[in-house]
Amino acid sequence: MSIRVVVADDQEIVRTGLTMILNSQPGIEVIGEAANGQRAVELARHLRPDVCLFDIRMPGVDGIAATRALAGPDVPDPLAVIVITTFDLDEYVYAALRAGARGFLLKDAGTVMLAQAVHAAADGEALIAPSITARLLRTFASSGPAAATQPIDSLTDREEQVLAAVARGRTNAEIAAELHITLSTVKTHVTSLMNKLQARNRVEIAIWAYETHRVHGR
């Protein structure tokens, strides 16, 4: 079955372009478009897409607020949201991830990375543009909560290894190859990390790793 996507961008030419690109990718179908955040939230709640692709700067309700409304900490059944923008500003990225986004891309990311991000979000993973990942987490780790959430139970050595790999943006398949374990074992460890860290997604796992200085940006 195709991954169902809702696209929101206030610029019609950009919105149309993103829709055309996504519809040309195997296994991806755009089922709705919105020109502002308020309409995007309404559409997403009605259609329940697999993935939402939101621009940050939109009139009225912006992409951050729309993301928080659909994927924020208080949302009982959050949707997968990818935030996309022209502006390579760390504060935008951090705000988007804190609001619950599963991915962050620049509009010059290219067709391949855009498709990868949609597939990753649909699979419960996260993809952040490689050019900003390490810089973002290094810059903002120190400006996060004064005391990072303590794990419910201590992490095992293997969980620490998986944690570090997730924080560096590795996919489950890459982690499996790197640590010489099965894909199902990686998924089990990621699930355990989410439970122990009370994290909603892989992005929050990565942020926690940097905030506790287990991983350092390069």
Side-chain angles (χ1 to χ4, degrees):
M1 294 180 62
S2 294
I3 298 171
R4 301 159 63 251
V5 181
V6 164
V7 173
D9 195 297
D10 61 322
Q11 298 183 40
E12 183 178 359
I13 191 169
V14 174
R15 192 169 65 248
T16 300
L18 290 171
T19 296
M20 290 178 62
I21 289 171
L22 291 174
N23 281 335
S24 71
Q25 302 304 303
I28 298 177
E29 176 189 6
V30 175
I31 59 170
E33 298 179 34
N36 58 68
Q38 181 177 343
R39 177 57 181 157
V41 171
E42 293 171 352
L43 202 59
R45 285 174 173 166
H46 175 65
L47 297 177
R48 301 297 300 177
D50 301 302
V51 177
C52 299
L53 182 66
F54 292 167
D55 181 29
I56 279 189
R57 298 181 68 171
M58 293 186 287
V61 177
D62 64 15
I64 302 297
T67 298
R68 189 177 298 108
L70 297 171
D74 300 325
V75 179
D77 189 16
L79 293 174
V81 180
I82 300 168
V83 172
I84 185 167
T85 182
T86 305
F87 305 95
D88 186 10
L89 299 177
D90 288 339
E91 56 265 35
Y92 280 175
V93 189
Y94 197 69
L97 300 183
R98 282 298 189 194
R102 284 195 193 168
F104 188 99
L105 294 176
L106 299 177
K107 288 182 180 177
D108 62 359
T111 301
V112 173
M113 185 169 290
L114 179 60
Q116 287 177 343
V118 169
H119 280 283
D123 290 340
E125 299 190 14
L127 191 153
I128 305 172
S131 63
I132 60 177
T133 303
R135 189 186 79 234
L136 160 77
L137 294 171
R138 180 179 66 245
T139 301
F140 284 94
S142 61
S143 64
T149 302
Q150 293 301 307
I152 295 174
D153 294 308
S154 299
L155 305 187
T156 66
D157 289 342
R158 181 63 87 185
E159 286 171 347
E160 291 279 5
Q161 294 174 330
V162 173
L163 172 74
V166 169
R168 293 190 174 95
R170 303 290 191 269
T171 65
N172 284 351
E174 290 170 339
I175 295 172
E178 186 177 305
L179 299 181
H180 306 290
I181 56 180
T182 66
L183 190 59
S184 62
T185 299
V186 174
K187 292 179 179 178
T188 297
H189 287 312
V190 171
T191 299
S192 178
L193 284 169
M194 290 176 65
N195 290 334
K196 287 184 177 182
L197 303 180
Q198 302 176 63
R200 294 170 299 160
N201 51 50
R202 297 167 72 92
V203 172
E204 291 191 353
I205 290 176
I207 291 175
W208 187 88
Y210 278 83
E211 288 177 342
T212 56
H213 306 292
R214 281 168 163 77
V215 180
H216 301 279
R218 290 177 294 186

